[in-house]
Amino acid sequence: MMQSRMIGDIKVTRILEYAGPTHDPAFLFPGMEEGVLQQHRDLMAPNHWIEHMNKLLVTIQFWIVHVGSNIIVIDTGVGNLKPRPGIARMNMLNTLVKEWMIAAGAPPEKVTHVVITHLHSDHVGWNTTWQDGRWVPTFPNARYYLPKDDFDFCHQGKNKEAGVIDVFGESFFDSVMPIVNEGLAEMMLPGEEIADCLVVEAAPGHSPGQVAFRVRSQGQEGIFCGDILHSPIQIVRPDINSGYCIWEDIARRTRLEFLNNAADREALIMPVHFGEPHCGFIRRQGNGFVFEPSHWV
């Protein structure tokens, strides 16, 4: 599935890999008190929380940006035929993502840039495709921009330290290192600008090197914000971390700073995991924030 909209002169297309009521709230948000979802039922049900199942609706999606002659892919989902035996819903997927990309005007050989918010397995999978007995770059003519601090964290083996959640796992070897070995990778840091349109902004905590990408055109702004937010509940309660946040205090500070900036800049936010309509605006309400969904056109 694909949907498109404009940010000024820039075309953004959303590519859906899958969505469903997949997560027990106590698993995804282990620090959240009982009753919080019911308290914010109008915000969460039915697009982000299936009340009678008590399951959070989580989406895996990524973004294509057409700007000038550039075709940019932002995050790359889970990928096809990736062995993920510990997560049944991700294991050996076989979806029509590539066909949807072609339909969206982004055939893999035409993609010029691939930019990754962080190196978790559900954000890097389509970096590579299984071909002739090995994992090869899906976008052979693109440069792949990887967050340096995430790469260093993985490459040095720190994700194996006791007490640190291993959320990188095998995806580092089947979806990241083949790109590096082919000489297609660029290590990026906050403050850089990619393809003359994406400003890289620091967003650590969920992972050591997570970044967000800000785009501006004709007075409009959008932010591709990775996993700073997994769910709208974290907008009204920015203190709630997902269970996958490696550095919890830093993740909370990053989230609060992001919400303040998005509200001040009136930027369209595009998280990876939100349910329908998948994007929107942050508005201030008293001392806190509310989410204003924005539908695709």
Side-chain angles (χ1 to χ4, degrees):
M1 179 183 296
M2 64 179 187
Q3 295 170 301
S4 297
R5 66 182 297 152
M6 301 300 292
I7 299 175
D9 289 330
I10 296 173
K11 183 180 180 182
V12 176
T13 301
R14 182 185 81 92
I15 301 292
L16 173 68
E17 191 165 33
Y18 72 80
T22 55
H23 286 70
D24 185 324
F27 174 82
L28 188 58
F29 299 126
M32 184 173 65
E33 317 92 275
E34 188 175 349
V36 169
L37 294 177
Q38 186 62 47
Q39 180 185 353
H40 297 285
R41 184 180 182 278
D42 290 347
L43 168 67
M44 294 297 295
N47 290 340
H48 309 285
W49 174 50
I50 308 300
E51 185 176 8
H52 71 273
M53 298 174 68
N54 194 31
K55 288 291 183 71
L56 294 166
L57 200 155
V58 174
T59 297
I60 305 291
Q61 60 199 342
F62 58 92
W63 318 92
I64 296 169
V65 174
H66 283 86
V67 53
S69 61
N70 290 323
I71 302 175
I72 305 165
V73 176
I74 300 179
D75 283 342
T76 62
V78 174
N80 273 5
L81 304 180
K82 295 292 167 83
R84 304 289 182 257
I87 310 175
R89 64 184 172 273
M90 296 184 180
N91 190 42
M92 301 300 288
L93 285 181
N94 189 17
T95 70
L96 296 175
V97 160
K98 187 177 289 187
E99 285 77 5
W100 280 118
M101 291 189 65
I102 295 169
E109 68 277 8
K110 297 292 187 181
V111 170
T112 57
H113 302 74
V114 178
V115 297
I116 304 296
T117 59
H118 61 297
L119 299 183
H120 289 183
S121 62
D122 54 337
H123 295 256
V124 299
W126 276 101
N127 284 358
T128 59
T129 303
W130 186 252
Q131 181 178 309
D132 298 328
R134 66 190 186 99
W135 295 108
V136 302
T138 303
F139 311 103
N141 300 311
R143 300 302 295 175
Y144 288 70
Y145 291 80
L146 311 177
K148 183 178 186 302
D149 289 345
D150 259 19
F151 181 82
D152 289 347
F153 184 85
C154 293
H155 199 242
Q156 295 166 15
K158 290 182 179 178
N159 58 316
K160 300 297 184 183
E161 288 181 0
V164 174
I165 306 164
D166 181 9
V167 289
F168 299 97
E170 290 305 308
S171 63
F172 186 70
F173 303 105
D174 63 36
S175 302
V176 175
M177 285 308 300
I179 302 306
V180 175
N181 294 337
E182 290 288 335
L184 299 180
E186 302 280 352
M187 299 299 157
M188 64 181 168
L189 290 168
E192 297 179 6
E193 186 171 8
I194 297 170
D196 297 322
C197 67
L198 293 178
V199 176
V200 183
E201 299 187 335
H206 180 66
S207 74
Q210 180 176 239
V211 297
F213 301 106
R214 173 166 49 88
V215 62
R216 288 177 176 163
S217 177
Q218 293 189 349
Q220 298 180 31
E221 182 169 317
I223 308 174
F224 302 92
C225 54
D227 286 1
I228 298 173
L229 301 163
H230 272 77
S231 167
I233 197 65
Q234 295 172 286
I235 294 171
V236 296
R237 284 287 305 276
D239 59 301
I240 294 175
N241 277 334
S242 82
Y244 296 107
C245 290
I246 291 178
W247 295 340
E248 294 188 15
D249 290 342
I250 294 174
R252 292 187 183 97
R253 289 199 297 271
T254 290
R255 190 174 304 113
L256 186 58
E257 181 179 354
F258 168 76
L259 292 171
N260 273 300
N261 288 339
D264 288 345
R265 295 176 344 203
E266 298 187 344
L268 179 76
I269 69 163
M270 291 167 281
V272 167
H273 298 300
F274 275 30
E276 191 175 353
H278 312 290
C279 63
F281 296 91
I282 305 300
R283 307 301 188 195
R284 296 188 185 278
Q285 185 175 76
N287 294 324
F289 306 94
V290 294
F291 180 53
E292 179 184 299
S294 180
H295 289 268
W296 294 80
V297 293

